[in-house]
Amino acid sequence: MTVSTTSSYARFISLRRLIKLCHESYIQHQCYHSTPNYYKIRMTKEQMKVNNMLKHGNTETNVHPKEKKTVPVVKVWNNITIKQLATSANRDVNQIMNILNMMNVGTYNNPNTAIVNFGLVCNVVKKLGCKTINVPEPNVKVIEEIKYKDIVRSPPADKSVLVKRHPVVTVMGHVDHGKTTLLDSLRNTSVVDTEFGGITQHIGAFNVTLKSGEQVTFLDTPGHAAFTAMRYRGAHVTDIVVLVVAADDGVKEQTLQSIEMAKDANVPIIVAINKIDKPNANIKRTQQMLQELGIVVEDLGGDVQCVNVSALKGTNLDILTEAIVLQAELMGLKGDPVGLVEGVAIECANHAGRGKLVTTLIKRGTLKNGSLLVSGLAWAKVRSMFNEFGRPVAQAKPSEAVQIIGWKVLPQVGAEILEARSEKELNSAIKYRESLHNDTIAKQHHEAADKKYQEYLLEYKRLLQQKWILGWYHPQYKSLKKSTSVKNEEKEEQLEYNCIIKGDVAGSVEAILNILDTYTANDLCKLNIISYGVGPVNESDVELAESFNATIYRFNVVIPRTIENQAVEKNIQIRKCNVIYKLVDTIKEEINSKLPKTVIEETLGEANVMQQFQINDKRKKVNVAGCLCTKGVLQKSGMYNLIRNNEIIYTGKMVSMRHLKDEVSKIETDVECGLRLDNPTLQFQPGDTLVCFILKEVPQTIGWNPGF
């Protein structure tokens, strides 16, 4: 047999390599058994293979690594049957049942039996020499998510069903210009006598029958600066705006705002110049002020109707009503009385005897008892309806305002109200809107969490970078971490003032919250609104106030005697407020009382440095300023600022104050003196100024200005 040279050389090299590995393995073996456990030398993979080869008498030099075996994968799922498992593993059903019965976990004789224990399924597959992967059960129909539908406005009605409707008139203007008094004169009522502080603080809706027999729905809006949202709603749900301007006061801030809202809503304006009976009334000046704002009345050649009235004495009120009726005729107002109801929530309240009460202006359709209504996330089955005097009414047609009871939750003021055809449609709309609301809340929470995480990540990266630069145990890095924790503690210890707001109507609560949103003194004391709502103070409000150390503010609402007794026992402060600006003043006073006192410098006197002297004090030369007191009094016990070129170069105490050769405690104006401060090396120059002051603690006040 002939062997090639190349093959012989390869075998020679392999034998040399085998001998070398054997020698190394022998040495390794001796070292391994002659040294302690923690000093044993690990053998290489090749040496271990040679040892095994020598142990089993295998001298084959062509040793190849073991090829990696691929383990079959079996797809399994929850509650899989024996037959499905056999099909997925490509085995016989009897083999699977035999394995299960051998495991003594029960009797399995039916191939359609489901294996509930998922761990048992994994053990069976393991005994088959396979591994599992969990997948969804195949051929299972996925139940599609039920799609809910929302309720939307109906399409425009056919002209054949439209009928004439009476106008909706909103009375707007500046505070204390006589809007509510004008409405009282038109309705022969006295609403103004029931108002606190002489100002309207919530929107009112009134169905009025004029002397001519015409019907008008009036909306009375507050003129105070705090109720901008109410005026906006009033301007955008009305047909005509009656702009009331006092003849003795002229155009004011809320007058201008009312004009802008009326123009934005694109509704006609009728000007009523009120208080013409006042001795200082100036009608011409008022008309000219309106002209500068683009409201040109008929007397000045414009097209805006203007009526001069006296709401208190009833002067020219019939002319004003005629102007309203004429404007409505020109507009040709019509409504749909047969379609589905559409309306607007004007005001919401919790009535003591009737429950949740919503004042609604009907825009379309005829509202009846039993109707199903939805507004936002709130819904109602109308139990009963009332007019502004609290008398029940059977139905409400377009342009009429009624009070509705039957609401499960109060809707938002200004929200749209729609009618549902059935309870199924109502439930679908509520679930649809709730899903949208939940998605919005989830998105907001996700964004807030991401923002918080990014802030944490930036701080973590900053500290990590410092650690890389300085080292974990470096004192500076430890102090950096400590300063970060101290800052966090300081943030937690920030002054806070917690309050709970309860109001008579939703519009008033909304106005209060809008005002509190303007609070800007968070660096001094944080203002937290723990809870707010409509209705009287209840037990949950007291519990919240106790938990958060909050003050309860009740705005035009009562408090039951039992709840008041609980609040007294728990030392809970409950503030009663009837006027909105007084509520704001009370909150400002409470916050100011929580602020710590601040230290200020109170100047007592000033002195001009005339010349510097040097004297010996205990064998040391010290500098003395020869001064002339030019203002106030210099006191030895006070503090002194040395000012040079309008800059404070030194602040310290007085060591010695002498007049001539006598040590004195104070120096009055126009008296010369020698002054020596506590720094003996301090240099004085002619022209310097010494200012004497004392440190005084004074209360801090916040600079919060809500705009009125």
Side-chain angles (χ1 to χ4, degrees):
M1 183 174 66
T2 60
V3 180
S4 64
T5 307
T6 306
S7 176
S8 300
Y9 180 75
R11 184 174 293 277
F12 173 73
I13 295 300
S14 299
L15 287 172
R16 285 188 62 186
R17 184 168 174 269
L18 178 62
I19 294 169
K20 182 179 179 181
L21 289 174
C22 290
H23 180 68
E24 290 177 357
S25 297
Y26 175 77
I27 296 173
Q28 183 79 11
H29 179 76
Q30 295 297 326
C31 293
Y32 185 84
H33 290 282
S34 62
T35 55
N37 290 333
Y38 48 86
Y39 285 122
K40 285 180 179 179
I41 304 173
R42 294 185 179 180
M43 293 182 288
T44 64
K45 289 184 178 180
E46 289 186 350
Q47 292 168 347
M48 292 176 68
K49 289 177 184 177
V50 172
N51 284 343
N52 291 331
M53 200 167 56
L54 293 174
K55 182 178 180 182
H56 296 91
N58 184 9
T59 58
E60 181 64 40
T61 57
N62 296 326
V63 181
H64 298 284
K66 212 178 209 178
E67 293 184 0
K68 187 176 181 181
K69 293 183 179 180
T70 57
V71 181
V73 178
V74 178
K75 296 180 180 180
V76 296
W77 51 88
N78 293 332
N79 297 326
I80 189 172
T81 63
I82 297 175
K83 185 177 181 180
Q84 290 172 337
L85 180 58
T87 304
S88 180
N90 197 17
R91 302 295 177 93
D92 187 60
V93 175
N94 294 326
Q95 183 182 1
I96 303 297
M97 288 192 295
N98 290 335
I99 293 175
L100 286 169
N101 293 326
M102 289 174 59
M103 295 174 70
N104 295 325
V105 291
T107 304
Y108 292 89
N109 298 322
N110 188 356
N112 295 321
T113 302
I115 307 175
V116 181
N117 189 347
F118 188 78
L120 182 60
V121 175
C122 296
N123 290 334
V124 171
V125 174
K126 189 175 181 181
K127 289 184 179 297
L128 293 174
C130 306
K131 63 180 181 180
T132 60
I133 180 172
N134 194 7
V135 297
E137 184 177 357
N139 301 325
V140 176
K141 294 182 180 179
V142 180
I143 301 176
E144 294 184 358
E145 184 180 356
I146 300 176
K147 294 183 179 180
Y148 301 109
K149 291 184 179 180
D150 195 11
I151 297 177
V152 296
R153 290 183 185 179
S154 302
D158 189 77
K159 293 183 179 180
S160 60
V161 300
L162 297 179
V163 297
K164 181 182 177 182
R165 66 174 178 85
H166 61 265
V168 178
V169 180
T170 300
V171 183
M172 304 180 71
H174 193 71
V175 64
D176 199 29
H177 276 201
K179 299 180 298 299
T180 306
T181 305
L182 177 62
L183 278 175
D184 285 343
S185 299
L186 293 172
R187 300 170 59 233
N188 295 320
T189 57
S190 183
V191 176
V192 71
D193 293 339
T194 63
E195 294 176 340
F196 297 99
I199 61 172
T200 303
Q201 299 185 105
H202 44 72
I203 195 169
F206 313 100
N207 299 316
V208 179
T209 302
L210 304 176
K211 293 180 179 179
S212 60
E214 298 284 344
Q215 282 192 336
V216 178
T217 298
F218 284 102
L219 300 180
D220 184 17
T221 59
H224 195 270
F227 300 95
T228 303
M230 290 190 187
R231 288 192 295 277
Y232 181 85
R233 286 195 296 273
H236 282 73
V237 300
T238 190
D239 299 314
I240 303 171
V241 169
V242 173
L243 183 65
V244 179
V245 188
D248 61 335
D249 205 11
V251 174
K252 293 296 181 181
E253 182 179 356
Q254 271 64 59
T255 310
L256 175 61
Q257 190 183 75
S258 300
I259 293 172
E260 292 175 351
M261 290 180 179
K263 289 181 178 180
D264 182 61
N266 195 23
V267 294
I269 297 175
I270 297 176
V271 177
I273 299 179
N274 193 21
K275 301 184 180 182
I276 60 173
D277 55 318
K278 288 289 188 73
N280 56 342
N282 193 335
I283 298 174
K284 288 294 182 181
R285 180 178 65 90
T286 304
Q287 292 178 345
Q288 290 172 358
M289 294 175 71
L290 291 170
Q291 184 179 13
E292 294 175 358
L293 300 175
I295 305 298
V296 184
V297 300
E298 293 176 338
D299 293 346
L300 299 180
D303 55 356
V304 178
Q305 296 186 77
C306 180
V307 183
N308 305 324
V309 299
S310 173
L312 193 62
K313 295 185 177 180
T315 307
N316 295 335
L317 294 185
D318 52 344
I319 300 176
L320 178 61
T321 56
E322 290 176 3
I324 295 173
V325 173
L326 176 61
Q327 184 65 50
E329 289 288 341
L330 294 174
M331 297 174 68
L333 301 174
K334 292 185 178 182
D336 174 19
V338 296
L340 292 174
V341 173
E342 297 177 7
V344 179
I346 299 298
E347 194 58 273
C348 305
N350 264 326
H351 194 272
R354 295 173 177 171
K356 295 176 175 59
L357 200 66
V358 178
T359 303
T360 306
L361 177 65
I362 307 300
K363 305 288 287 184
R364 183 179 182 179
T366 301
L367 184 63
K368 299 178 182 179
N369 291 333
S371 298
L372 299 173
L373 303 178
V374 61
S375 176
L377 298 177
W379 65 276
K381 185 175 183 180
V382 180
R383 285 169 34 210
S384 186
M385 295 178 290
F386 307 91
N387 60 14
E388 68 271 18
F389 299 107
R391 299 168 187 166
V393 294
Q395 62 182 14
K397 296 181 179 180
S399 297
E400 292 183 355
V402 290
Q403 297 174 348
I404 303 172
I405 61 174
W407 293 88
K408 306 304 177 183
V409 181
L410 285 177
Q412 291 185 352
V413 288
E416 183 182 50
I417 298 176
L418 300 176
E419 183 182 10
R421 294 183 178 87
S422 63
E423 290 189 4
K424 182 178 179 181
E425 187 181 33
L426 176 66
N427 293 332
S428 176
I430 291 296
K431 290 179 180 179
Y432 176 82
R433 296 182 179 191
E434 285 178 348
S435 64
L436 289 182
H437 177 72
N438 293 336
D439 291 344
T440 304
I441 295 298
K443 185 178 179 181
Q444 292 175 353
H445 289 177
H446 182 69
E447 291 175 353
D450 284 346
K451 183 180 179 181
K452 196 72 176 177
Y453 174 72
Q454 292 299 329
E455 293 176 355
Y456 166 78
L457 198 60
L458 289 174
E459 182 65 20
Y460 171 75
K461 288 181 177 179
R462 185 180 69 85
L463 290 175
L464 192 62
Q465 186 177 10
Q466 293 294 327
K467 185 184 78 171
W468 287 342
I469 296 173
L470 303 173
W472 184 275
Y473 297 103
H474 196 281
Q476 189 174 348
Y477 174 69
K478 290 183 177 181
S479 64
L480 185 67
K481 289 184 65 178
K482 187 176 180 181
S483 64
T484 305
S485 61
V486 169
K487 287 181 181 178
N488 294 333
E489 291 178 0
E490 289 178 354
K491 289 182 180 178
E492 294 177 358
E493 294 176 358
Q494 184 184 14
L495 286 176
E496 294 183 348
Y497 182 68
N498 303 327
C499 60
I500 297 173
I501 306 297
K502 298 300 291 285
D504 54 347
V505 295
S508 297
V509 175
E510 178 193 38
I512 293 171
L513 295 179
N514 289 338
I515 291 173
L516 297 183
D517 282 342
T518 64
Y519 181 79
T520 56
N522 289 332
D523 54 338
L524 295 176
C525 182
K526 190 176 181 181
L527 177 61
N528 297 323
I529 310 299
I530 302 301
S531 174
Y532 61 88
V534 179
V537 180
N538 52 41
E539 187 174 353
S540 62
D541 296 326
V542 176
E543 292 176 355
L544 275 175
E546 182 184 18
S547 301
F548 291 92
N549 191 23
T551 303
I552 300 175
Y553 288 89
R554 56 185 185 97
F555 188 76
N556 290 335
V557 294
V558 297
I559 176 171
R561 178 64 64 180
T562 55
I563 302 300
E564 188 176 7
N565 293 336
Q566 290 181 14
V568 172
E569 291 176 1
K570 297 179 180 180
N571 198 22
I572 303 299
Q573 298 292 330
I574 299 180
R575 308 292 188 196
K576 176 184 176 182
C577 298
N578 296 327
V579 184
I580 192 165
Y581 56 81
K582 291 185 179 179
L583 182 144
V584 175
D585 291 340
T586 304
I587 293 178
K588 288 173 68 174
E589 292 175 0
E590 292 287 340
I591 294 177
N592 289 336
S593 65
K594 294 179 70 68
L595 299 179
K597 292 185 177 180
T598 184
V599 178
I600 63 170
E601 295 182 0
E602 183 180 355
T603 302
L604 300 179
E606 295 182 4
N608 288 338
V609 178
M610 310 298 292
Q611 188 177 356
Q612 176 179 286
F613 300 94
Q614 281 190 344
I615 62 173
N616 293 325
D617 182 27
K618 298 180 180 180
R619 298 181 181 180
K620 290 183 180 180
K621 291 186 177 181
V622 294
N623 297 326
V624 176
C627 303
L628 174 65
C629 181
T630 58
K631 185 187 298 184
V633 177
L634 305 180
Q635 291 187 356
K636 185 178 180 180
S637 58
M639 297 287 293
Y640 285 83
N641 285 330
L642 179 60
I643 301 176
R644 183 177 299 159
N645 297 327
N646 296 324
E647 292 184 4
I648 299 176
I649 63 173
Y650 182 77
T651 300
K653 295 182 178 180
M654 184 65 62
V655 175
S656 176
M657 176 183 288
R658 294 194 177 190
H659 175 60
L660 299 178
K661 294 183 180 181
D662 299 327
E663 188 74 23
V664 295
S665 60
K666 65 178 181 179
I667 298 293
E668 296 182 352
T669 308
D670 296 332
V671 176
E672 294 182 349
C673 59
L675 303 178
R676 175 185 158 198
L677 298 181
D678 54 359
N679 186 354
T681 62
L682 184 63
Q683 297 290 328
F684 300 97
Q685 294 181 6
D688 291 348
T689 302
L690 280 170
V691 178
C692 177
F693 65 92
I694 59 173
L695 299 177
K696 187 177 181 181
E697 288 187 347
V698 294
Q700 290 191 82
T701 57
I702 57 175
W704 176 33
N705 182 15
F708 55 82

